[in-house]
Amino acid sequence: MTTMFHKTISLLFLFGLFSANAQQNDSITKIDTTSHSLKFNYKQLIIPSALIGYGVIGLESDQLLSFNHQIKAEVTEDIDEKITIDDFSQYAPAASVYALNAFGVKGKNNLRDRTVIFVTSYAIMATTVLGLKSVSHVERPDGSSNNSFPSGHTATAFAGAEFLWQEYKDKSIWYRIAGYAVATGTGLFRIYNNRHWLTDVAAGAGIGILSTKIAYWVQPYITKKLFKSSSETKSTSMIMPFYNGQQYGLGFVKVF
């Protein structure tokens, strides 16, 4: 594997860790005894906006497009065997939140509020990704289709990483690092497998992070609308859209 691709891997991995550390001081405000929500701070928009901006600018920038093709050339020249771990790793950060809670490691929110945040984040992310794919028509590096921009796998992974970060940021720094490391790895494998350009991955990461932040900001309002009081509502059902890179569908979530 040549120097340029090594540099790309190092850059994306370091950025993933920087994203985690840069958000460490996000303010948290207590909504009630069981629900916590992010307090809006414009500084939280810097990183996801920069990532999305890089991806959007890359659609027309000759310099960034050239860099995309240089990376593709390195990938196709030096990598013969594809590794499809990204099809599974994209879900790992979000799944970890529920797994940790199942093993007794409590996050900031209870099951109900956490699920409202997760579903909201995923709905925002999926709608944005599918909308951009339908209007951008960017050809994938492997030429298989014209829905490359942005990377849905990367968006899913980074939405989950931010979700894991916000729920467990006060427990240990390793939860934060692990989530963003897995998300960054997912983005790298999308490039490694010749399925996405660097600009696709960058935009997907920004969309994922921003989707979860928005979900935390609007969670108190959504929860208030869905659950008038704990005595009035014992359970609720929600429909969640999903996209796995090839298929569209709806997921059913029931919260007790």
Side-chain angles (χ1 to χ4, degrees):
M1 191 180 297
T2 55
T3 303
M4 179 176 293
F5 194 62
H6 271 128
K7 289 181 177 179
T8 303
I9 290 176
S10 300
L11 178 63
L12 287 176
F13 185 74
L14 288 174
F15 180 81
L17 295 183
F18 172 76
S19 296
N21 288 321
Q23 298 177 81
Q24 184 172 356
N25 294 323
D26 284 352
S27 298
I28 301 293
T29 182
K30 191 173 183 181
I31 299 301
D32 57 39
T33 57
T34 58
S35 175
H36 296 75
S37 175
L38 271 177
K39 181 186 295 183
F40 177 79
N41 184 334
Y42 74 92
K43 292 181 180 179
Q44 298 167 10
L45 300 175
I46 295 175
I47 290 176
S49 296
L51 285 167
I52 296 170
Y54 178 87
V56 172
I57 293 171
L59 294 174
E60 300 294 337
S61 169
D62 291 337
Q63 183 176 359
L64 295 183
L65 288 172
S66 175
F67 188 49
N68 277 346
H69 284 278
Q70 290 177 53
I71 294 173
K72 176 190 174 182
E74 302 294 343
V75 170
T76 55
E77 177 183 353
D78 298 313
I79 300 175
D80 297 322
E81 184 178 355
K82 301 298 186 290
I83 302 175
T84 58
I85 191 174
D86 45 303
D87 288 335
F88 306 98
S89 64
Q90 61 175 319
Y91 302 114
S96 297
V97 175
Y98 289 92
L100 285 167
N101 194 255
F103 282 103
V105 184
K106 293 185 178 181
K108 288 188 176 298
N109 291 286
N110 59 29
L111 177 62
R112 184 198 68 182
D113 296 323
R114 184 168 64 246
T115 302
V116 168
I117 291 167
F118 173 69
V119 172
T120 303
S121 169
Y122 207 101
I124 294 171
M125 180 273 297
T127 301
T128 304
V129 167
L130 294 177
L132 288 173
K133 282 180 179 292
S134 67
V135 299
S136 60
H137 302 296
V138 176
E139 185 178 23
R140 290 183 183 272
D142 62 4
S144 61
S145 62
N146 292 320
N147 63 347
S148 189
F149 181 86
S151 169
H153 282 63
T154 308
T156 300
F158 273 87
E162 179 68 14
F163 182 44
L164 177 63
W165 168 281
Q166 295 301 337
E167 288 297 311
Y168 290 99
K169 63 189 297 184
D170 295 330
K171 296 291 185 180
S172 170
I173 191 173
W174 292 108
Y175 293 127
R176 309 163 189 169
I177 293 175
Y180 271 91
V182 170
T184 302
T186 300
L188 286 172
F189 274 111
R190 297 310 285 165
I191 298 174
Y192 179 97
N193 290 326
N194 202 28
R195 293 291 289 163
H196 279 290
W197 309 100
L198 175 61
T199 45
D200 303 335
V201 169
I207 291 169
I209 294 170
L210 186 58
S211 295
T212 298
K213 286 189 177 297
I214 292 173
Y216 273 90
W217 293 333
V218 302
Q219 179 267 327
Y221 174 79
I222 294 177
T223 300
K224 184 178 179 180
K225 291 294 183 181
L226 289 177
F227 309 96
K228 294 183 179 180
S229 72
S230 58
S231 60
E232 292 177 5
T233 307
K234 294 183 179 180
S235 68
T236 189
S237 301
M238 289 171 278
I239 301 296
M240 179 178 67
F242 73 83
Y243 174 69
N244 63 10
Q246 296 179 331
Q247 300 171 319
Y248 305 87
L250 292 174
F252 178 77
V253 178
K254 188 173 183 65
V255 183
F256 297 93

